[in-house]
Amino acid sequence: MTEQQKQCAGCGAFLQTTNAEQAGYIPEKALEREPAICQRCFKIKNYNEAQSVAIDHDEFLRMLSRIGDEDALVIHIVDLFDFEGSLISSLQRFVGNNPVLLVVNKIDLLPKGMNWNRIRNWVQHQAKEQGIRIVDVLLVSAKRDLGFDRLVEVVAEWRGDRDVYVVGATNVGKSTLINRLIRDYSDMDRELTTSRYPGTTLDLVNIPLEDGRSIIDTPGIVYTHRMTELVDRKDLGAILPDKTLKPTVFQLNEGQTLFFGALARFDFAEGERQSFTCYMSNAIKIHRTKLERADDLYRNHAGDMLAPPAKDRLEQLPEWTKHQLRVPRGGEMDVFISGLGWIACNGKSGALLNVHAPKGVKVMLRSTLI
């Protein structure tokens, strides 16, 4: 196999020895190793650091568009913590009539004692609203290895004599899931590169199965409406939860504000006294203040008392945009901030809320998850 044809076993990029700034760079002396992985994957695997490699968005769409022309099973993996932010709402036009399994990862983040049937029904409803036709919903935790026995069973039921395409946004646990499928369906001595960094998989990665078919891993789609795509990599560890969420409940009066570090702000503008439950990474510091003091507090303390991000990384975030949301009377709703988490509105009397977040970040009301 020539250098031009050989792909990185971790991310799928074509290996090359000439330009260290481009995808697939590998030192010449490492090219003969088996499995051969590029320098970027080597650094992720061994030092938890990554170089930024830009992938053309049109190239993503080209890769996805081939799925509809084939007879394949499609596994769409989403992040339960960032459901609306990681769902590929345009998926239906790419997959054609192929069956879609919706795999919901990171269920280990939810508090214990959850009604999983209710979560599954909630997921089905949200997917239907986005126009995605799915044949089944599977709740898993790649980190805790939960739900995978059932996933393997369902994949076997639907796969038949088909290839399996795995699609998803960046940072949803796609490569971890595929590594589990490799162990169950293939005797290959390799694993995909997994990390917290967006865009770990750079090209289509074909993993041959024992029956002559393949699992095809597609690059993670980069959605800039997710907070995780905007913050500095040094802050990813703080906003991506790695433990069960510990909800924080606030009893708020009209005219009170919550700051989530210096990443977002939640104003209770109008309404009767009521409680709000915050579901986000335990590393995010939540600070309560009066609405009339909020602007001054941010001006004077963003980056120190209000952190993350730290002062030297504040300017990397876009300016904030204000989103006005009205919670209807009697409606139990979540305020969803993509990549950061959500705030459950527990009152029945309705509320007028203003949410400030970096420009471009998806902020919305949705039916309550918990």
Side-chain angles (χ1 to χ4, degrees), residues 309-326:
K311 241 185 207 332
D312 61 341
R313 298 193 290 273
L314 267 177
E315 290 185 1
Q316 295 182 33
L317 288 176
E319 289 187 7
W320 282 3
T321 297
K322 184 169 90 170
H323 305 260
Q324 189 171 86
L325 306 172
R326 186 172 290 278

Side-chain angles (χ1 to χ4, degrees), residues 262-322:
L263 296 168
R265 169 180 148 186
F266 176 92
D267 298 338
F268 181 19
E270 291 178 17
E272 297 174 12
R273 177 178 170 82
Q274 56 191 275
S275 74
F276 298 89
T277 307
C278 303
Y279 294 88
M280 52 193 62
S281 168
N282 304 330
I284 299 289
K285 297 172 186 171
I286 304 176
H287 191 91
R288 173 164 44 182
T289 189
K290 290 184 177 179
L291 178 54
E292 63 200 44
R293 296 179 186 162
D295 289 340
D296 285 342
L297 186 73
Y298 183 82
R299 194 178 301 113
N300 296 326
H301 295 288
D304 45 59
M305 184 171 74
L306 303 178
K311 241 185 207 332
D312 61 341
R313 298 193 290 273
L314 267 177
E315 290 185 1
Q316 295 182 33
L317 288 176
E319 289 187 7
W320 282 3
T321 297
K322 184 169 90 170

Side-chain angles (χ1 to χ4, degrees), residues 30-73:
L31 193 58
E32 299 309 313
R33 290 180 187 159
E34 287 296 338
I37 62 173
C38 70
Q39 188 175 72
R40 177 175 175 272
C41 285
F42 180 84
K43 288 184 176 182
I44 292 174
K45 218 171 183 74
N46 294 285
Y47 304 111
N48 202 29
E49 63 176 83
Q51 299 158 286
S52 178
V53 181
I55 302 295
D56 183 69
H57 192 260
D58 291 338
E59 189 70 6
F60 279 126
L61 299 182
R62 184 190 64 77
M63 289 176 188
L64 283 184
S65 64
R66 65 182 270 186
I67 300 175
D69 298 328
E70 299 185 20
D71 182 22
L73 172 64

Side-chain angles (χ1 to χ4, degrees), residues 70-111:
E70 299 185 20
D71 182 22
L73 172 64
V74 179
I75 298 177
H76 178 16
I77 180 167
V78 295
D79 179 349
L80 184 57
F81 179 71
D82 189 15
F83 186 84
E84 285 81 3
S86 60
L87 194 72
I88 305 173
S89 56
S90 60
L91 182 67
Q92 201 62 51
R93 66 188 172 98
F94 291 115
V95 301
N97 293 318
N98 287 317
V100 177
L101 293 177
L102 189 59
V103 177
V104 184
N105 191 21
K106 304 187 184 178
I107 63 168
D108 55 296
L109 296 178
L110 294 186

Side-chain angles (χ1 to χ4, degrees), residues 85-347:
S86 60
L87 194 72
I88 305 173
S89 56
S90 60
L91 182 67
Q92 201 62 51
R93 66 188 172 98
F94 291 115
V95 301
N97 293 318
N98 287 317
V100 177
L101 293 177
L102 189 59
V103 177
V104 184
N105 191 21
K106 304 187 184 178
I107 63 168
D108 55 296
L109 296 178
L110 294 186
K112 291 179 181 177
M114 297 300 305
N115 181 332
W116 295 115
N117 281 333
R118 186 189 182 286
I119 299 295
R120 194 174 284 105
N121 291 338
W122 183 90
V123 168
Q124 287 174 326
H125 175 75
Q126 301 301 102
K128 187 176 180 181
E129 282 203 336
Q130 294 294 330
I132 302 175
R133 297 193 300 271
I134 55 177
V135 295
D136 208 345
V137 171
L138 296 141
L139 306 178
V140 306
S141 166
K143 184 177 180 181
R144 306 286 182 205
D145 200 21
L146 300 172
F148 276 88
D149 290 342
R150 177 62 185 149
L151 170 62
V152 170
E153 286 175 14
V154 174
V155 169
E157 288 171 18
W158 283 97
R159 186 168 75 88
D161 186 31
R162 294 179 170 115
D163 289 336
V164 179
Y165 279 85
V166 183
V167 301
T170 53
N171 246 328
V172 295
K174 194 157 55 70
S175 295
T176 306
L177 177 145
I178 289 180
N179 286 335
R180 170 61 194 263
L181 292 177
I182 290 172
R183 292 199 293 273
D184 277 280
Y185 282 112
S186 172
D187 57 3
M188 286 186 63
D189 181 27
R190 64 180 277 184
E191 286 195 351
L192 299 176
T193 305
T194 59
S195 83
R196 282 175 170 267
Y197 301 128
T200 305
T201 303
L202 301 178
D203 206 336
L204 292 178
V205 180
N206 280 53
I207 301 112
L209 303 177
E210 292 166 357
D211 62 0
R213 291 298 181 179
S214 298
I215 295 173
I216 298 116
D217 183 23
T218 59
I221 295 175
V222 178
Y223 281 136
T224 53
H225 60 238
R226 306 168 75 200
M227 188 82 75
T228 44
E229 304 292 354
L230 298 179
V231 300
D232 190 277
R233 284 180 172 161
K234 293 175 183 174
D235 296 312
L236 267 182
I239 73 170
L240 285 174
D242 59 357
K243 298 175 183 173
T244 301
L245 299 174
K246 293 180 180 175
T248 308
V249 181
F250 290 89
Q251 296 286 340
L252 296 184
N253 295 315
E254 178 181 285
Q256 288 191 302
T257 289
L258 299 176
F259 277 99
F260 306 110
L263 296 168
R265 169 180 148 186
F266 176 92
D267 298 338
F268 181 19
E270 291 178 17
E272 297 174 12
R273 177 178 170 82
Q274 56 191 275
S275 74
F276 298 89
T277 307
C278 303
Y279 294 88
M280 52 193 62
S281 168
N282 304 330
I284 299 289
K285 297 172 186 171
I286 304 176
H287 191 91
R288 173 164 44 182
T289 189
K290 290 184 177 179
L291 178 54
E292 63 200 44
R293 296 179 186 162
D295 289 340
D296 285 342
L297 186 73
Y298 183 82
R299 194 178 301 113
N300 296 326
H301 295 288
D304 45 59
M305 184 171 74
L306 303 178
K311 241 185 207 332
D312 61 341
R313 298 193 290 273
L314 267 177
E315 290 185 1
Q316 295 182 33
L317 288 176
E319 289 187 7
W320 282 3
T321 297
K322 184 169 90 170
H323 305 260
Q324 189 171 86
L325 306 172
R326 186 172 290 278
V327 180
R329 184 175 291 274
E332 292 184 345
M333 308 289 284
D334 289 341
V335 174
F336 171 77
I337 306 172
S338 181
L340 186 63
W342 69 93
I343 304 102
C345 308
N346 305 318

